[in-house]
Amino acid sequence: MLIADDIKLDYSDVLIRPKRSTMNTRSDVSMKRTHTFLHSKEEWTGIPIMAANMDTVGTPDMHKVLSEFGMITSPARWYLKNDPTAFSSNYKDEYLCMMGGIDDIDVIKTNSVMYKFIGLDVANGYTIRFVDAIKELREKCPDATIVAGNVVTADMTQELILAGADIVKVGIGPGSVCTTRIKTGIGYPQLSAVIECADAAHGLGGHIIADGGCTNSGDIVKAFAGGADFVMIGGMLAGHKECAGELEDGKMKFYGMASETAMGKHGNHNNYRGAEGKTVEIDYRGEVGYTIKDILSGVRSACTYVGARQLKSLSKCTTFVRVNNTHNRIYE
């Protein structure tokens, strides 16, 4: 048994200190980023915010709206096997990221022509089997931009990139409908995970997605400020017109993909696996476009507070100040 007693931080543990800025308006901020990926050598330009590959959020209607903003949708996994053309039929869509499980590699390969990003998404990215699966997917799809996750530490981020991943998904347990930390005691404060994994990935020429834990636009800002190349959100997009599910009494259901609801729907029950997610009811929030505009407004505003004319510059302009402690400390 070891105890790591150095400080680790969640989004709620910090604020960003404002700095003198020569910017006059939020409209001066460029939200688009251009990334060139390590293994695929492909280039992508857009706003690097992603809808999570969850049943209620990763829908064709969500993709239609987000793509208009230049943002990415990760289709819910069941589309991969049951309706892979629901989002795009005959061309590589710049704003789609199709991810499946280890046993879905051949299906992913077959449909990879339709998606800008493909990948493998598992709860535990630390197994040798998962690393071998990334190697296999890279071998079968040598020119694809591959996403792999989830992990929360620098060493495993590097291993996945060296195995063939272009982008590593970072986050274990921070999501609003994930109960992994409660059920298993496993996890890592999300901001520190993002900072450490981003540093490891960028050292090799790779990229990361900050996956989970964002409950408002300020959290998204902190993820980008910590070095995330992409930020994936689920709960912030739940409860909208574009989500799957019925509207009852002004509410819509939102659930984790390891919840009883999801396992029952997809037949994932077995005698050794319990639920590590929950189902909640979300107040109906109307069209998602209004929420997206509000999120982007928050990120733009943050950039003006620190003098970042481009989203790319935000992390270089950031000074984090610890707030949830008795002795404030500053991290630049």
Side-chain angles (χ1 to χ4, degrees), residues 39 125-128 131-132 134-135 153-165 168 200 204:
H39 298 292
Y126 285 80
T127 66
I128 296 300
V131 176
D132 290 342
I134 296 300
K135 293 178 181 178
T153 53
D155 57 343
M156 207 64 197
T157 297
Q158 292 173 324
E159 183 161 356
L160 293 180
I161 290 172
L162 293 173
V168 175
L204 294 175

Side-chain angles (χ1 to χ4, degrees), residues 63 79-80 83-98 107-118:
H63 168 56
Y79 283 104
L80 179 63
D83 194 6
T85 63
F87 293 78
S88 177
S89 58
N90 55 13
Y91 65 97
K92 183 170 288 188
D93 195 309
E94 292 289 309
Y95 306 112
L96 281 176
C97 175
M98 174 58 78
V107 182
I108 293 171
K109 177 186 176 183
T110 299
N111 296 286
S112 62
V113 68
M114 295 182 288
Y115 301 92
K116 177 67 174 182
F117 308 91
I118 61 173

Side-chain angles (χ1 to χ4, degrees), residues 227 286 290 307:
Y290 296 106

